Amino acid sequence: MATVSATSAKTADRSLTVDEALERILGGVPSLPPHEVALLDALGAVLAEDAVAVHDVPPFTNSAMDGYAVRGEDVATAPARLRVVGDIAAGAYPSELVGPGEAMRIMTGAPMPDGADTVVRVEDTDNGMDVVTIKRATERGLSVRGRGEDLRVGEVVIPRGTVLRPAEIGVLATTGRPRVRVVRRPRVAVLSTGDEVVELDAPIHPGQIRDANRYSLSAAVGAAGCVAWTLGIVGDTPEALRAALRDASSADAVVTSGGVSVGDHDHVKPVVSEMGTMDFWSIAIRPGRPLAFGELRDGPRRVPIFGLPGNPVSSLLTFELFVRPALLRMAGHANVARPRARARLLERVDKPAQLRFFARGIHDASDDTVRTTGPQGSGILRSMSLANCLIDLPPGRERHEPGETVDLILTDQPEAR
Ligand code: AMP
Ligand code: MG
């Protein structure tokens, strides 16, 4: 097989803004089909059907308090003495009626007996067993939860497209749904390239470095609610890369790091071009350029592939800016943008004048200030681990001064639903 020259990558070089690149990426990724999963496996996924209540919630009128079920007219004034005619625990069903001048002891969640329309809290009584004294006048209907007051049978309780949080999982549980249809979570192959990159537990020789990216990127895939399929480290030969990508193409998406510069050993672009298509973009940002985006062909399937830069900060940051939104979109999320904020810069920041610069920042929301995490080199991964935001500085300036208001991307917060 002919070896494709790595330098062909240079000829395809194009310059794009972040927004242009993201728009192309979001337009180029497929949405995944729905499937049915057990309710707990649906956390974080996107609901692929309108969930309809199959019965009223609560299914019967019940007490909101421990106390006495009574007739409202009997407790309109206090004190009042009522005859205790029974006891209803949660899970029991009352067979007797509460008549005038009568009360029934009732536990929280227990069904209201016929005749009663009001619950007097136990704290407002003398807790009597045979006869109870009501010490406080109680309004009719108090402490009673009506049948269907939360959800009505037939009502859409969670619309299609909703990202399921614990509260939605609970709502689905109350309507008696052990399984739900959600958009499938993307399974994402992650691999590292580079002859210098070694496994975490391998002996390390001069000139070698540990594989940070496969771990940070696989974790980022997981944090995006997707399933990481961590493939190995691939050496800098077209043959090794070809074999690895053939494997990887059974995933829903592929993320590689390294090998997308225009050095002699950078094979990602030419090899992917053989196996599908790949655009090689020079995005006017720091850290992070270059970025390669394309698709592998696996029979009729088209598998998006992201060739991220090798520097550990650049790869994780370009994942955040481009890959995370793409994976969320594949998983059915309508909104793929992190929340943003503005804050007062506490220190001077120097940046390359022509580039959009994403400084790693520490945002203090209590006084709307932000400072950087310190040294901002694209190999300094601590700058990412200390950060709770990205300071988004536009092209056109080479310096920002203390006191200026700057834009932030709140990378510690989930995308609004
Ligand atoms: P590359 O994009 O392949 O030219 O790599 C750029 C820089 O990132 C080089 O210093 C590489 O050694 C480093 N690098 C590449 N891959 C990894 C990795 N998986 N983990 C840590 N550093 C890496
Ligand atoms: Mg490399």
Side-chain angles (χ1 to χ4, degrees):
M1 193 178 283
T3 308
V4 178
S5 161
T7 53
S8 64
K10 282 179 185 147
T11 57
D13 206 339
R14 278 188 288 162
S15 192
L16 293 180
T17 67
V18 172
D19 295 338
E20 286 167 343
L22 186 59
E23 199 183 308
R24 288 189 197 195
I25 288 169
L26 293 179
V29 295
S31 19
L32 295 186
H35 67 162
E36 203 181 80
V37 295
L39 184 54
L40 269 184
D41 293 333
L43 181 63
V46 172
L47 193 63
E49 60 182 327
D50 284 337
V52 172
V54 294
H55 55 68
D56 285 338
V57 177
F60 50 86
T61 298
N62 67 91
S63 175
M65 292 285 175
D66 292 340
Y68 293 82
V70 299
R71 299 167 84 97
E73 61 267 26
D74 285 345
V75 295
T77 57
R81 281 169 64 79
L82 303 174
R83 199 158 63 81
V84 180
V85 294
D87 231 297
I88 320 147
Y93 210 87
S95 49
E96 292 144 81
L97 192 111
V98 173
E102 293 178 346
M104 219 181 268
R105 292 173 70 86
I106 193 165
M107 302 299 130
T108 305
M112 287 292 283
D114 285 344
D117 55 14
T118 305
V119 172
V120 181
R121 302 183 309 164
V122 72
E123 297 91 318
D124 294 337
T125 72
D126 68 351
N127 205 9
M129 295 304 284
D130 301 321
V131 174
V132 61
T133 302
I134 309 295
K135 298 191 286 192
R136 181 196 284 216
T138 304
E139 205 184 317
R140 181 191 298 276
L142 204 74
S143 300
V144 174
R145 302 189 284 215
R147 169 178 181 155
E149 74 173 22
D150 187 359
L151 313 173
R152 284 263 172 221
V153 62
E155 179 188 4
V156 172
V157 293
I158 305 176
R160 166 197 304 265
T162 302
V163 183
L164 300 176
R165 303 170 307 168
E168 284 77 29
I169 298 293
V171 168
L172 291 166
T174 61
T175 72
R177 302 181 54 109
R179 302 182 69 76
V180 286
R181 280 180 83 70
V182 295
V183 180
R184 193 157 67 69
R185 296 170 200 274
R187 180 164 168 266
V188 184
V190 182
L191 56 90
S192 293
T193 74
D195 285 337
E196 77 283 26
V197 180
V198 297
E199 237 338 321
L200 307 198
D201 53 0
I204 195 155
H205 301 296
Q208 295 185 322
I209 53 160
R210 299 242 181 256
D211 185 2
N213 297 349
R214 198 157 40 101
Y215 289 86
S216 60
L217 296 173
S218 296
V221 166
C226 304
V227 180
W229 176 26
T230 303
L231 293 176
I233 301 165
V234 182
D236 285 320
T237 69
E239 294 73 26
L241 195 56
R242 215 174 274 129
L245 291 180
R246 225 172 272 133
D247 262 1
S249 64
S250 67
D252 296 311
V254 181
V255 176
T256 69
S257 69
V260 288
S261 320
V262 288
D264 289 341
H265 301 288
D266 292 329
H267 300 293
V268 172
K269 149 82 185 166
V271 169
V272 174
S273 297
E274 270 172 37
M275 301 174 69
T277 57
M278 189 156 230
D279 283 331
F280 189 66
W281 298 331
S282 170
I283 301 175
I285 57 173
R286 173 140 329 144
R289 62 175 178 178
L291 176 80
F293 173 64
E295 54 184 28
L296 297 172
R297 302 227 170 88
D298 179 33
R301 295 177 66 241
R302 300 263 188 279
V303 182
I305 176 166
F306 300 86
L308 307 184
N311 276 311
V313 174
S314 307
S315 62
L316 198 50
L317 194 129
T318 49
F319 183 98
E320 168 65 32
L321 295 178
F322 301 109
V323 186
R324 181 180 166 97
L327 297 180
L328 292 177
R329 182 54 54 80
M330 291 175 79
H333 292 246
N335 179 28
V336 298
R338 296 272 200 192
R340 300 181 71 100
R342 289 168 68 74
R344 191 164 46 84
L345 190 59
L346 291 180
E347 67 193 274
R348 171 179 152 174
V349 179
D350 292 299
K351 64 178 277 294
Q354 303 313 314
L355 303 180
R356 184 167 169 185
F357 184 59
F358 295 94
R360 277 69 73 201
I362 300 170
H363 175 218
D364 184 345
S366 70
D367 64 356
D368 283 327
T369 58
V370 68
R371 60 198 163 88
T372 74
T373 55
Q376 297 289 305
S378 54
I380 300 177
L381 198 48
R382 251 172 79 83
S383 70
M384 292 290 275
S385 86
L386 294 172
N388 63 7
C389 69
L390 295 171
I391 310 172
D392 182 359
L393 301 171
R397 298 262 307 270
E398 61 180 11
R399 176 176 307 161
H400 290 266
E401 301 289 352
E404 277 188 43
T405 299
V406 290
D407 284 318
L408 309 181
I409 304 175
L410 303 179
T411 46
D412 267 4
Q413 293 184 22
E415 294 75 7
R417 299 188 310 143

